[in-house]
């Protein structure tokens, strides 16, 4: 069977590190598209030079030419700019919406059968941009957020218990931001729900640290944001889609009534396979969990309304 092709728009920290994880697991051939042609060419060459030692024989290309993404099974959008001094949230939203729109137009033109994974922030809003611009089926536009938030929660639980991080499984729903909804009842260590293993105060502390997981890293880095765990999250999603694994993971999906939410991208558990989102799973949430999810959805809805204003202005 020929190897699948995965394209990554934006060869910055997250994009290039995702390419690295994908190459190391020999998941697919890779094309990295970036407006900074020198950067993407350099990174692609550098990767290729490491291949003989790391034993990956995949093709890796760096380009500024969108037509090279043709026949991609998956296209990941990581292109964007970080918030600069003097920029408010709305300024950032406009700039990144413009970048994601251009990327999405090109995906529609050159890779009309691809599944799109959106990574650029603000995530849930950028999913809307990609969805509207490509005109793709709802199940083929997916946001990467929940996997990242839940891997952070997994790690914090493992650190607290002194157990193997890979034995912990976690579920985090909602928007990607401080209104995310980590679900301790659905977070387990080898099948044991964490409320059986940790007291409520400790769980609350870990939930808080998860909500601030990205901000904690930004505070250390000063400039830039996290990229190893975001890139690993992208690679997990790409692998599940390319290998049709039907992996269960929280991702931002377009909801049409599920969880009582209409026409909004928000993090929920899904099955990932060759058709993108194969299924959305509806958990039975208790009252407080549902309330948190609704609040999170309201925050995402506000961002989308801001985006609408921008699109009307242009
Ligand atoms: N087309 C293609 N690439 C672009 C464009 C564009 N119009 N505009 C910017 N880029 C590229 C930049 O040249 C840069 O290489 O996007 C890349 C972004 O990389 P970084 O600045 O290193 O940002 P990164 O840390 O990778 O984060 C990317 O992911 O997690 C989110 O919030 C984060 O939105 C951000 C995105």
């Amino acid at each position: 069977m020929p190897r699948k092709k995965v394209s990554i728009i934006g060869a910055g920290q997250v994009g290039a590190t995702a390419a690295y994880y994908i190459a190391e697991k020999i998941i697919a051939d890779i094309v990295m598209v970036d407006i900074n042609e020198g950067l993407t060419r350099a990174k692609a060459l550098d990767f290729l030079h490491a291949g003989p030692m790391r034993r990956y024989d995949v093709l890796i290309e760096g380009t500024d030419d969108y037509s090279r993404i043709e026949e991609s099974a998956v296209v990941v959008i990581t292109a964007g700019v970080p918030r600069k001094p003097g920029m408010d949230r709305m300024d950032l939203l406009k700039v990144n919406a413009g970048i994601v729109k251009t990327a999405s137009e090109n995906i529609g033109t050159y890779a009309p059968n691809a599944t799109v994974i959106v990574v650029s922030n603000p995530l849930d809003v950028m999913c809307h941009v990609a969805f509207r611009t490509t005109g793709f089926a709802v199940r083929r536009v997916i946001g990467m957020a929940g996997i990242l938030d839940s891997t952070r929660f997994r790690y914090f639980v493992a650190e607290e218990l002194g157990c193997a991080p890979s034995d912990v499984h976690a579920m985090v729903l909602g928007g990607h931001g401080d209104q995310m909804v980590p679900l301790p009842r659905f977070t387990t260590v080898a099948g044991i729900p964490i409320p059986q293993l940790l007291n409520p105060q400790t769980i609350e502390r870990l939930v808080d640290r998860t909500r601030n997981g990205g901000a904690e890293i930004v505070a250390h880095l000063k400039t830039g944001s996290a990229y190893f765990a975001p890139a690993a999250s992208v690679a997990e999603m790409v692998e599940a889609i390319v290998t049709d694994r039907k992996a269960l993971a929280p991702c931002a999906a377009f909801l049409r009534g599920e969880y009582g939410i209409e026409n909004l991208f928000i993090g929920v558990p899904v099955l990932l396979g060759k058709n993108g989102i194969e299924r959305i799973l509806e958990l039975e949430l208790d009252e407080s969990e549902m309330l948190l999810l609704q609040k999170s959805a309201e925050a995402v809805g506000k961002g989308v309304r801001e985006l609408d204003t921008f699109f009307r202005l242009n």
Side-chain angles (χ1 to χ4, degrees), residues 31-46:
V31 172
M32 296 186 293
V33 180
D34 200 292
I35 200 168
N36 184 341
E37 193 200 357
L39 173 99
T40 186
R41 278 193 193 279
K43 287 190 179 180
L45 263 177
D46 206 6

PDB file of all heavy atoms in Angstrom, residues 31-46:
ATOM      1  N   VAL A  31       4.611  17.039   3.881  1.00  0.00           N
ATOM      2  CA  VAL A  31       4.900  18.305   3.210  1.00  0.00           C
ATOM      3  C   VAL A  31       4.647  19.419   4.220  1.00  0.00           C
ATOM      4  O   VAL A  31       3.588  19.459   4.847  1.00  0.00           O
ATOM      5  CB  VAL A  31       3.991  18.518   1.970  1.00  0.00           C
ATOM      6  CG1 VAL A  31       4.181  19.916   1.401  1.00  0.00           C
ATOM      7  CG2 VAL A  31       4.298  17.475   0.903  1.00  0.00           C
ATOM      8  N   MET A  32       5.643  20.276   4.404  1.00  0.00           N
ATOM      9  CA  MET A  32       5.461  21.429   5.300  1.00  0.00           C
ATOM     10  C   MET A  32       5.398  22.691   4.448  1.00  0.00           C
ATOM     11  O   MET A  32       6.337  22.995   3.710  1.00  0.00           O
ATOM     12  CB  MET A  32       6.642  21.553   6.267  1.00  0.00           C
ATOM     13  CG  MET A  32       6.777  20.379   7.228  1.00  0.00           C
ATOM     14  SD  MET A  32       8.083  20.655   8.448  1.00  0.00           S
ATOM     15  CE  MET A  32       9.545  20.632   7.440  1.00  0.00           C
ATOM     16  N   VAL A  33       4.285  23.415   4.560  1.00  0.00           N
ATOM     17  CA  VAL A  33       4.123  24.655   3.796  1.00  0.00           C
ATOM     18  C   VAL A  33       4.228  25.832   4.761  1.00  0.00           C
ATOM     19  O   VAL A  33       3.550  25.848   5.790  1.00  0.00           O
ATOM     20  CB  VAL A  33       2.735  24.713   3.105  1.00  0.00           C
ATOM     21  CG1 VAL A  33       2.581  26.013   2.318  1.00  0.00           C
ATOM     22  CG2 VAL A  33       2.531  23.513   2.196  1.00  0.00           C
ATOM     23  N   ASP A  34       5.083  26.774   4.427  1.00  0.00           N
ATOM     24  CA  ASP A  34       5.194  27.959   5.283  1.00  0.00           C
ATOM     25  C   ASP A  34       5.461  29.176   4.415  1.00  0.00           C
ATOM     26  O   ASP A  34       6.128  29.078   3.375  1.00  0.00           O
ATOM     27  CB  ASP A  34       6.337  27.778   6.292  1.00  0.00           C
ATOM     28  CG  ASP A  34       6.222  28.711   7.484  1.00  0.00           C
ATOM     29  OD1 ASP A  34       6.380  29.937   7.315  1.00  0.00           O
ATOM     30  OD2 ASP A  34       5.953  28.208   8.606  1.00  0.00           O
ATOM     31  N   ILE A  35       4.951  30.288   4.854  1.00  0.00           N
ATOM     32  CA  ILE A  35       5.174  31.552   4.146  1.00  0.00           C
ATOM     33  C   ILE A  35       6.668  31.888   4.157  1.00  0.00           C
ATOM     34  O   ILE A  35       7.181  32.552   3.269  1.00  0.00           O
ATOM     35  CB  ILE A  35       4.316  32.649   4.833  1.00  0.00           C
ATOM     36  CG1 ILE A  35       4.088  33.816   3.926  1.00  0.00           C
ATOM     37  CG2 ILE A  35       4.895  33.080   6.155  1.00  0.00           C
ATOM     38  CD1 ILE A  35       3.014  34.763   4.455  1.00  0.00           C
ATOM     39  N   ASN A  36       7.361  31.417   5.172  1.00  0.00           N
ATOM     40  CA  ASN A  36       8.810  31.574   5.290  1.00  0.00           C
ATOM     41  C   ASN A  36       9.477  30.384   4.583  1.00  0.00           C
ATOM     42  O   ASN A  36       9.718  29.336   5.180  1.00  0.00           O
ATOM     43  CB  ASN A  36       9.192  31.643   6.775  1.00  0.00           C
ATOM     44  CG  ASN A  36      10.666  31.914   6.979  1.00  0.00           C
ATOM     45  OD1 ASN A  36      11.475  31.713   6.070  1.00  0.00           O
ATOM     46  ND2 ASN A  36      11.006  32.362   8.166  1.00  0.00           N
ATOM     47  N   GLU A  37       9.746  30.579   3.287  1.00  0.00           N
ATOM     48  CA  GLU A  37      10.213  29.467   2.467  1.00  0.00           C
ATOM     49  C   GLU A  37      11.560  28.911   2.938  1.00  0.00           C
ATOM     50  O   GLU A  37      11.766  27.691   2.991  1.00  0.00           O
ATOM     51  CB  GLU A  37      10.323  29.921   1.008  1.00  0.00           C
ATOM     52  CG  GLU A  37      10.503  28.776   0.051  1.00  0.00           C
ATOM     53  CD  GLU A  37      11.093  29.199  -1.278  1.00  0.00           C
ATOM     54  OE1 GLU A  37      11.321  30.403  -1.488  1.00  0.00           O
ATOM     55  OE2 GLU A  37      11.340  28.303  -2.100  1.00  0.00           O
ATOM     56  N   GLY A  38      12.453  29.810   3.308  1.00  0.00           N
ATOM     57  CA  GLY A  38      13.784  29.368   3.757  1.00  0.00           C
ATOM     58  C   GLY A  38      13.675  28.476   4.977  1.00  0.00           C
ATOM     59  O   GLY A  38      14.320  27.422   5.067  1.00  0.00           O
ATOM     60  N   LEU A  39      12.845  28.884   5.912  1.00  0.00           N
ATOM     61  CA  LEU A  39      12.686  28.127   7.158  1.00  0.00           C
ATOM     62  C   LEU A  39      12.190  26.716   6.878  1.00  0.00           C
ATOM     63  O   LEU A  39      12.737  25.730   7.384  1.00  0.00           O
ATOM     64  CB  LEU A  39      11.679  28.854   8.058  1.00  0.00           C
ATOM     65  CG  LEU A  39      11.274  28.131   9.330  1.00  0.00           C
ATOM     66  CD1 LEU A  39      12.047  28.664  10.525  1.00  0.00           C
ATOM     67  CD2 LEU A  39       9.774  28.264   9.601  1.00  0.00           C
ATOM     68  N   THR A  40      11.162  26.611   6.042  1.00  0.00           N
ATOM     69  CA  THR A  40      10.566  25.292   5.830  1.00  0.00           C
ATOM     70  C   THR A  40      11.488  24.395   4.993  1.00  0.00           C
ATOM     71  O   THR A  40      11.605  23.196   5.239  1.00  0.00           O
ATOM     72  CB  THR A  40       9.131  25.404   5.265  1.00  0.00           C
ATOM     73  OG1 THR A  40       8.562  24.112   5.222  1.00  0.00           O
ATOM     74  CG2 THR A  40       9.074  26.035   3.890  1.00  0.00           C
ATOM     75  N   ARG A  41      12.186  24.998   4.017  1.00  0.00           N
ATOM     76  CA  ARG A  41      13.153  24.207   3.235  1.00  0.00           C
ATOM     77  C   ARG A  41      14.275  23.698   4.141  1.00  0.00           C
ATOM     78  O   ARG A  41      14.695  22.549   4.055  1.00  0.00           O
ATOM     79  CB  ARG A  41      13.761  25.066   2.128  1.00  0.00           C
ATOM     80  CG  ARG A  41      12.887  25.167   0.913  1.00  0.00           C
ATOM     81  CD  ARG A  41      13.661  25.752  -0.264  1.00  0.00           C
ATOM     82  NE  ARG A  41      12.765  26.129  -1.329  1.00  0.00           N
ATOM     83  CZ  ARG A  41      12.264  25.260  -2.208  1.00  0.00           C
ATOM     84  NH1 ARG A  41      12.602  23.996  -2.159  1.00  0.00           N
ATOM     85  NH2 ARG A  41      11.428  25.668  -3.142  1.00  0.00           N
ATOM     86  N   ALA A  42      14.765  24.579   5.003  1.00  0.00           N
ATOM     87  CA  ALA A  42      15.869  24.216   5.895  1.00  0.00           C
ATOM     88  C   ALA A  42      15.455  23.084   6.834  1.00  0.00           C
ATOM     89  O   ALA A  42      16.182  22.097   7.010  1.00  0.00           O
ATOM     90  CB  ALA A  42      16.297  25.436   6.706  1.00  0.00           C
ATOM     91  N   LYS A  43      14.262  23.223   7.408  1.00  0.00           N
ATOM     92  CA  LYS A  43      13.829  22.193   8.365  1.00  0.00           C
ATOM     93  C   LYS A  43      13.625  20.847   7.674  1.00  0.00           C
ATOM     94  O   LYS A  43      13.979  19.800   8.214  1.00  0.00           O
ATOM     95  CB  LYS A  43      12.559  22.644   9.080  1.00  0.00           C
ATOM     96  CG  LYS A  43      12.822  23.741  10.103  1.00  0.00           C
ATOM     97  CD  LYS A  43      11.617  24.031  10.988  1.00  0.00           C
ATOM     98  CE  LYS A  43      11.956  25.112  12.003  1.00  0.00           C
ATOM     99  NZ  LYS A  43      10.846  25.443  12.895  1.00  0.00           N
ATOM    100  N   ALA A  44      13.059  20.885   6.453  1.00  0.00           N
ATOM    101  CA  ALA A  44      12.833  19.634   5.721  1.00  0.00           C
ATOM    102  C   ALA A  44      14.165  18.943   5.422  1.00  0.00           C
ATOM    103  O   ALA A  44      14.321  17.733   5.635  1.00  0.00           O
ATOM    104  CB  ALA A  44      12.067  19.910   4.430  1.00  0.00           C
ATOM    105  N   LEU A  45      15.151  19.726   4.975  1.00  0.00           N
ATOM    106  CA  LEU A  45      16.464  19.151   4.668  1.00  0.00           C
ATOM    107  C   LEU A  45      17.110  18.560   5.917  1.00  0.00           C
ATOM    108  O   LEU A  45      17.670  17.450   5.887  1.00  0.00           O
ATOM    109  CB  LEU A  45      17.380  20.252   4.126  1.00  0.00           C
ATOM    110  CG  LEU A  45      17.497  20.365   2.616  1.00  0.00           C
ATOM    111  CD1 LEU A  45      18.377  21.558   2.264  1.00  0.00           C
ATOM    112  CD2 LEU A  45      18.093  19.078   2.031  1.00  0.00           C
ATOM    113  N   ASP A  46      17.014  19.319   6.988  1.00  0.00           N
ATOM    114  CA  ASP A  46      17.606  18.886   8.253  1.00  0.00           C
ATOM    115  C   ASP A  46      17.002  17.538   8.702  1.00  0.00           C
ATOM    116  O   ASP A  46      17.707  16.617   9.122  1.00  0.00           O
ATOM    117  CB  ASP A  46      17.324  19.991   9.284  1.00  0.00           C
ATOM    118  CG  ASP A  46      18.337  20.035  10.401  1.00  0.00           C
ATOM    119  OD1 ASP A  46      19.324  19.283  10.334  1.00  0.00           O
ATOM    120  OD2 ASP A  46      18.138  20.825  11.347  1.00  0.00           O
TER     121      ASP A  46
END
